[in-house]
Amino acid sequence: MPVTLAIDGQQVEIPDGSSILEAINGAGVYIPQLCKDPGMPAIGACRTCLVQIEGRRGFPASCHTPVQDGMVVHTDTPEVRRIRRGVLELTLGMLPLEQPGNGLGEHQELKVAAEHHDIATPTLTPRTRDHTDDSNPFFSVKMDDCILCGRCVEACQDLQEIGAIAILGRGQGAFIGAFDDQPIADSICTSCGSCVAACPTGAIEPKLSPELAAEKIIKQTSTICPYCGVGCGIVLNTDGNGKVLWVDDDPENQSSLGKLCVKGRFGVTFINHSDRLTTPLIRKDGVLKPASWDEALDLVADKMVEYRGAVAALASAKATNEDGYLIQKFMRLAMGTNSIDHCTRLCHSPSVEAMLKSLGSGATSNSYLDYERAGCLVLAGCDPSSNHPVVATRFRKAVDLYGAKLIIINPKRIDLCDYAYLWLQERPGTDVALFNGMARVALDEGLWDQEFVATRTEGFEEWKQSLDQYTPEFVESITGVPKEKMIEAARLYARPPFSGSCFVWGMGLTQHTNGTATCYSVLNLALLTGQMGKPGSGISPLRGQNNVQGCGDAGCVPNSLPGYQAFTENILDKFMEAWGGPLSPKEGFVVTEMMAEASEGRLKVMYIVGENPLLSEPDLRHAREAIEKLEFLVVQDIFLHETAEIADVVLPATSFAEKDGTFTNSERRVQRVRKAVDPIGGSRADWDITSDLARRVCSRLGLPEEQFSYSHPSEIFDEMARLTPIISGISYERLDREGGIQWPCPTPDHPGTPILYEETFPRGLGKFVAVEQKEPAAELPNRRFPLILNTGRILYHWHGGTITRRVEGLMARAPELMVTIHPRDAKIVGVADGDEVRVESRRGELFGRALVTDSVREGSIFVPFVKLKESAANFLTNQAFDPDSQIPEYKVCAVRVARKDSPRRKRKGSRGMAGAFRP
């Protein structure tokens, strides 16, 4: 119910329950608010936001005073101004005489408040305080500039739910610091920068280069983070010369709610890196040399026409929906093939395959908000604190504030284990047995949702029979998880203490030869217990790249058209009529099949956009051999990475900050990406490059060139929306007006869909699919290769590191490859913590530094995906694939570890392949 009040004579309407400060800010009236961050609750410590209210004694702090209908508020009367000036004088007395203000002036709220109240120079003698922490590569903490308002502490503890810093000491000796006054870089600080954004004085100040520090912010642009699939809102603060000076969070973004991680806040400096590609390159006499756009695109068009019928493309999950839509349209209409894929094949293709068959849709069923509503959260095969840090704050909040029970299922100990009620440390590759066992417990103990199963599902009886052998004892023998823990996990998931249960998973479940079977077992468990289609419940495959969801939505998959529309006669007719040309009903190659076809010489040309398969493919030696057999390779990207280095033509694309478009995040939220700076050099947006290339190809083939004539990406989105029912109601105009919208959104007046499957499934009834625990991996340890390699991501890098290796601060936090090994295994191979080590598989080797800890299971090691100092995990991984989804088995292969300087052993020997499974 809204109330109306007067702010300095201005009538303001605001919801009941709001504070006077919110009404003042809503009215656009300036008032100091040094201890109040826009995205956090009021602290009420600084007293600078005091006001005068007619009919009320005193001068209350507006941040803590609720509004009342008819209230008359004055913010700048002589008496209010006099008292506030005194408060500001006392506050300034905490700082050195040369204060207020240093660094980025726009972040110096105290300086602005002082100037507004005509305070040019502090009049009180400052206290001595020189405590400075300069350990973090992204920011420094200078207590000389601190007024102890507490905003940074609130940001760390209540916004990010981390608690790395606090007010230490007392009285005049009080200061901001980490536990036991250790350097912040050595604490649990994740370098998210929320403290920097919250600080009103510049005491916590970003470390900018002298060039950037000297520039003034000219423009602010709201857009979306280019890293993981959370889809956080960011505000790019730019100067007049095309440089990003600072990144702010966006409190209005409904996916991130004012939170960012270290990469989102500090990791976008790659935009202006000197390695950026600025002109097309053509290989001449074995060397890549600069060329004009016409020369490069004409050459590519000629080669694509010459080898038409033997061409495939990889689209980019880092690019926009519009970019992806055009690439798949180009391949299907102009090149006559459905051989278009993207990195979902290497991360969540098992999830999508299983969900499409069981439910009829391949996306997360719930919203991020449901994580905070859930009574039980199951996180399986994922490490959100490293991979999806802003979503991880919701998990911590759910446990700390709302009392949710958190269950971690992971062979490796992750940070969120500190918050877990249960941690199930299963043997790698045995998750099917674990989830079948949990389902068996729910059935045996009558914990399943019989009404949901009876009215919303099919195939129950046949599936139920498949669980006969999965007794708790049998499951323990396979997984290594104590049966008591498995039983308790099943009970909590089926009957949470309140609300529902959310099941969240990552690539620890999917990147196996039984990845699709594992996903079926998850969905079976969710269907059995009715844990979807209602608030606080759902199934959530956390997506790795910023637009991997959208890239699939846009049609960059070889077995369906945009919106996951099948190759039926009616659907093909619809697209052929819209596109003005014939389309093939034959499924194309997935990326792993493309590599095999190239290796056999049947695939002649690849068009690779925004991907780096010579870092992302398994068994990199074999991947390089396959790609080098192509007749012609075209790479379109922002850097000359490993794959681009061997290309015949390299096309320079723009970064996310230099173009307009849309991304779709893990909760199906379509959001606007906005151009903040002009393209670097001669680089062009992906959609612009692809449409230009397509017109040249169409001209040579006699196909309609006008199908690729666009002046702005909004025109591409409108075309995609007309042909794709799940986003038909979304437009740039709506996104700019309302913010992100979750699909399905079929009509312009539809509000979007936060929760899927409330009444039905896209396929009608949810389908139980019986799956059995097979061999846990295609390659298992033996005497020569006695350890299991597990791979994953880390907080300070992203995927292979093509981008993050070009961010100085991120490299400072994670400069070399760490090989995590259990203490007993380290002792056996004679390795100590910090030693340089060599890791070998049957396919290759890498070098790193040993991190000896019991966070990994005995008998296994963990190595991140990122390439550092010329070493990367995919030099070791194998080419075994899940037969249903064709995803490579990145998570398990046999390796051995030795000190770097120890003699090498021959890799020749027993293959140790499946059949060697020993519980």
Side-chain angles (χ1 to χ4, degrees):
M1 191 74 179
V3 300
T4 302
L5 68 160
I7 305 290
D8 292 341
Q10 178 181 344
Q11 294 296 306
V12 177
E13 188 175 272
I14 194 166
D16 193 12
S18 303
S19 69
I20 293 177
L21 181 60
E22 290 174 302
I24 294 170
N25 291 337
V29 174
Y30 173 75
I31 190 171
Q33 42 201 291
L34 298 182
C35 70
K36 175 67 176 74
D37 188 90
M40 293 183 291
I43 301 173
C46 72
R47 316 305 290 178
T48 58
C49 69
L50 54 84
V51 295
Q52 188 171 9
I53 303 171
E54 289 188 11
R56 185 176 299 189
R57 295 177 59 186
F59 301 90
S62 59
C63 65
H64 266 295
T65 307
V67 297
Q68 292 180 1
D69 197 50
M71 183 179 274
V72 178
V73 178
H74 302 283
T75 69
D76 207 35
T77 66
E79 188 68 4
V80 168
R81 192 173 179 84
R82 179 187 67 80
I83 297 172
R84 190 183 296 129
R85 181 185 171 97
V87 172
L88 289 170
E89 289 276 12
L90 289 169
T91 304
L92 289 166
M94 302 175 72
L95 306 178
L97 288 174
E98 65 269 18
Q99 291 295 321
N102 58 17
L104 284 174
E106 285 75 5
H107 287 264
Q108 307 309 306
E109 296 176 40
L110 179 57
K111 176 182 177 181
V112 173
E115 292 175 347
H116 191 81
H117 289 77
D118 303 320
I119 304 173
T121 305
T123 59
L124 301 176
T125 302
R127 61 176 175 166
T128 301
R129 185 172 48 185
D130 58 1
H131 188 284
T132 298
D133 187 331
D134 201 41
S135 62
N136 191 290
F138 299 104
F139 57 84
S140 58
V141 182
K142 299 185 294 183
M143 287 310 300
D144 274 353
D145 305 333
C146 179
I147 61 173
L148 293 175
C149 66
R151 279 172 62 169
C152 59
V153 175
E154 289 291 311
C156 187
Q157 294 183 355
D158 294 342
L159 182 68
Q160 290 285 355
E161 296 282 336
I162 291 173
I165 57 175
I167 298 177
L168 306 181
R170 57 184 179 179
Q172 291 197 349
F175 62 96
I176 301 295
F179 176 76
D180 199 30
D181 195 22
Q182 64 182 312
I184 285 180
D186 296 335
S187 73
I188 60 172
C189 171
T190 61
S191 305
C192 70
S194 288
C195 58
V196 183
C199 181
T201 67
I204 307 181
E205 183 180 42
K207 292 182 176 178
L208 303 179
S209 67
E211 296 79 14
L212 292 183
E215 296 293 334
K216 184 176 179 60
I217 293 173
I218 301 298
K219 186 175 72 169
Q220 294 183 313
T221 306
S222 294
T223 188
I224 304 301
C225 177
Y227 283 102
C228 79
V230 175
C232 298
I234 61 175
V235 179
L236 298 180
N237 296 271
T238 54
D239 64 7
N241 300 311
K243 292 188 181 297
V244 176
L245 305 180
W246 170 251
V247 178
D248 276 316
D249 51 77
D250 182 1
E252 300 302 314
N253 182 283
Q254 292 305 298
S255 291
S256 54
L257 299 175
K259 295 182 283 290
L260 291 178
C261 78
V262 59
K263 294 188 287 290
R265 178 91 60 187
F266 298 109
V268 302
T269 54
F270 70 86
I271 295 167
N272 299 115
H273 197 278
S274 58
D275 286 351
R276 280 289 302 275
L277 290 166
T278 59
T279 188
L281 303 173
I282 293 178
R283 189 170 298 279
K284 297 178 180 178
D285 300 322
V287 179
L288 286 171
K289 297 181 179 180
S292 69
W293 274 105
D294 282 338
E295 183 183 6
L297 291 177
D298 279 338
L299 175 59
V300 175
D302 288 341
K303 291 294 184 180
M304 286 191 161
V305 170
E306 178 183 353
Y307 291 108
R308 190 173 188 264
V311 179
L314 290 182
S316 176
K318 295 182 284 292
T320 64
N321 291 321
E322 295 77 4
D323 297 330
Y325 176 83
L326 267 195
I327 294 167
Q328 62 86 34
K329 180 180 179 181
F330 167 53
M331 293 303 294
R332 289 179 162 123
L333 179 60
M335 301 313 300
T337 178
N338 288 308
S339 291
I340 171 75
D341 207 359
H342 69 293
C343 74
T344 191
R345 189 65 45 196
L346 309 179
C347 56
H348 270 295
S349 55
S351 306
V352 175
E353 294 284 337
M355 289 191 291
L356 285 172
K357 184 172 180 179
S358 289
L359 311 174
S361 174
T364 292
S365 71
N366 55 276
S367 300
Y368 300 154
L369 178 60
D370 290 298
Y371 301 146
E372 298 178 30
R373 294 169 170 166
C376 176
L377 292 159
V378 178
L379 307 185
C382 59
D383 182 4
S385 299
S386 296
N387 304 335
H388 306 87
V390 170
V391 160
T393 66
R394 293 184 184 261
F395 299 141
R396 293 191 290 267
K397 186 176 181 181
V399 174
D400 284 346
L401 268 65
Y402 306 130
K405 300 295 186 183
L406 177 63
I407 301 171
I408 303 293
I409 301 174
N410 203 314
K412 177 178 179 287
R413 193 184 195 285
I414 62 174
D415 286 347
L416 283 170
C417 286
D418 291 338
Y419 295 80
Y421 182 79
L422 288 173
W423 173 29
L424 310 186
Q425 192 178 22
E426 86 281 30
R427 295 186 180 108
T430 63
D431 299 282
V432 171
L434 180 63
F435 302 138
N436 279 358
M438 291 173 65
R440 169 76 183 265
V441 170
L443 280 167
D444 289 348
E445 298 190 4
L447 304 177
W448 54 296
D449 190 331
Q450 298 184 37
E451 181 181 356
F452 187 92
V453 169
T455 60
R456 299 284 305 275
T457 72
E458 64 181 354
F460 172 71
E461 290 299 333
E462 297 87 344
W463 168 75
K464 180 182 175 182
Q465 293 175 14
S466 72
L467 301 181
D468 288 348
Q469 68 173 323
Y470 293 96
T471 63
E473 294 75 17
F474 176 75
V475 171
E476 180 175 348
S477 72
I478 297 293
T479 65
V481 175
K483 64 180 182 180
E484 295 80 11
K485 281 191 173 184
M486 186 273 286
I487 291 170
E488 189 170 10
R491 290 169 177 168
L492 275 174
Y493 178 73
R495 296 287 175 88
F498 59 89
S499 187
S501 293
C502 285
F503 200 113
V504 183
W505 72 95
M507 292 181 289
L509 297 194
T510 60
Q511 290 179 333
H512 292 273
T513 49
N514 58 7
T516 305
T518 301
C519 292
Y520 278 130
S521 67
V522 170
L523 300 178
N524 292 335
L525 182 59
L527 288 172
L528 177 69
T529 54
Q531 294 295 355
M532 62 178 82
K534 59 187 178 183
S537 71
I539 48 169
S540 302
L542 285 177
R543 309 311 296 266
Q545 298 204 27
N546 54 301
N547 198 40
V548 66
Q549 180 66 57
C551 199
D553 298 345
C556 296
V557 287
N559 56 356
S560 64
L561 290 159
Y564 309 98
Q565 298 176 82
F567 296 142
T568 63
E569 184 177 351
N570 289 341
I571 297 298
L572 285 169
D573 286 346
K574 178 178 74 170
F575 277 89
M576 286 191 286
E577 181 179 357
W579 291 351
L583 298 175
S584 171
K586 181 183 177 182
E587 289 189 10
F589 297 129
V590 302
V591 59
T592 47
E593 292 171 330
M594 293 177 193
M595 295 299 146
E597 291 294 304
S599 183
E600 295 297 322
R602 292 187 290 268
L603 184 64
K604 304 296 185 181
V605 176
M606 284 195 73
Y607 177 33
I608 299 176
V609 180
E611 293 295 340
N612 187 6
L614 288 190
L615 212 50
S616 61
E617 284 293 304
D619 189 0
L620 290 176
R621 178 189 57 80
H622 179 270
R624 186 180 185 94
E625 290 174 356
I627 289 177
E628 286 180 337
K629 289 183 178 179
L630 292 168
E631 294 292 335
F632 196 73
L633 173 63
V634 186
V635 173
Q636 184 171 304
D637 218 312
I638 65 174
F639 293 118
L640 193 69
H641 51 58
E642 289 80 357
T643 308
E645 287 174 348
I646 65 170
D648 296 288
V649 173
V650 179
L651 304 174
T654 57
S655 73
F656 80 104
E658 299 148 16
K659 62 184 177 184
D660 286 293
T662 56
F663 292 157
T664 306
N665 70 3
S666 274
E667 60 173 350
R668 298 170 283 102
R669 192 182 298 274
V670 183
Q671 303 186 99
R672 275 281 276 121
V673 178
R674 296 180 178 88
K675 179 180 175 182
V677 293
D678 290 331
I680 299 290
S683 61
R684 294 165 63 179
D686 288 296
W687 67 266
D688 185 36
I689 299 171
T690 301
S691 59
D692 192 346
L693 173 61
R695 289 193 298 271
R696 294 168 195 254
V697 168
C698 287
S699 173
R700 288 159 170 78
L701 295 174
L703 294 170
E705 296 177 52
E706 64 273 12
Q707 282 294 331
F708 295 94
S709 296
Y710 306 95
S711 61
H712 191 270
S714 60
E715 298 171 4
I716 304 171
F717 189 92
D718 288 344
E719 178 183 316
M720 181 167 58
R722 285 194 298 271
L723 293 168
T724 311
I726 59 174
I727 60 167
S728 291
I730 303 177
S731 64
Y732 275 39
E733 187 273 332
R734 278 196 71 183
L735 295 174
D736 288 336
R737 183 180 70 248
E738 302 174 24
I741 299 172
Q742 291 171 274
W743 65 255
C745 179
T747 61
D749 58 351
H750 192 283
T753 309
I755 299 175
L756 296 180
Y757 318 139
E758 287 184 295
E759 297 180 358
T760 187
F761 296 103
R763 71 178 304 277
L765 296 175
K767 182 178 179 60
F768 285 96
V769 178
V771 288
E772 299 287 350
Q773 176 68 57
K774 305 294 186 181
E775 294 284 8
E779 181 180 89
L780 291 165
N782 65 6
R783 183 177 57 82
R784 295 181 62 81
F785 295 93
L787 300 173
I788 291 175
L789 169 67
N790 184 18
T791 62
R793 299 176 186 145
I794 55 175
L795 174 63
Y796 292 104
H797 281 288
W798 193 57
H799 298 292
T802 301
I803 291 174
T804 51
R805 278 182 278 130
R806 291 173 169 88
V807 177
E808 184 177 345
L810 296 175
M811 283 298 295
R813 291 298 281 159
E816 55 189 340
L817 206 62
M818 303 304 293
V819 178
T820 307
I821 184 170
H822 192 278
R824 293 192 189 93
D825 296 321
K827 184 177 181 180
I828 291 171
V829 298
V831 167
D833 190 54
D835 282 353
E836 290 187 278
V837 296
R838 182 178 68 250
V839 185
E840 296 176 274
S841 75
R842 294 176 176 84
R843 291 154 295 280
E845 66 182 15
L846 60 78
F847 299 96
R849 192 170 296 279
L851 176 63
V852 180
T853 169
D854 61 4
S855 66
V856 293
R857 285 183 65 98
E858 187 176 357
S860 66
I861 66 169
F862 175 83
V863 178
F865 275 132
V866 63
K867 180 182 180 182
L868 293 170
K869 296 184 178 179
E870 300 307 311
S871 284
N874 280 337
F875 286 114
L876 309 179
T877 51
N878 64 34
Q879 295 181 69
F881 303 118
D882 171 29
D884 296 308
S885 65
Q886 296 297 302
I887 193 171
E889 186 163 55
Y890 291 107
K891 292 303 181 192
V892 181
C893 74
V895 297
R896 62 189 177 211
V897 176
R899 289 174 56 90
K900 183 179 179 181
D901 55 6
S902 65
R904 280 182 169 79
R905 297 169 61 189
K906 293 181 180 179
R907 292 196 196 101
K908 182 179 176 181
S910 169
R911 293 187 57 80
M913 301 300 283
F917 176 43
R918 290 166 289 135

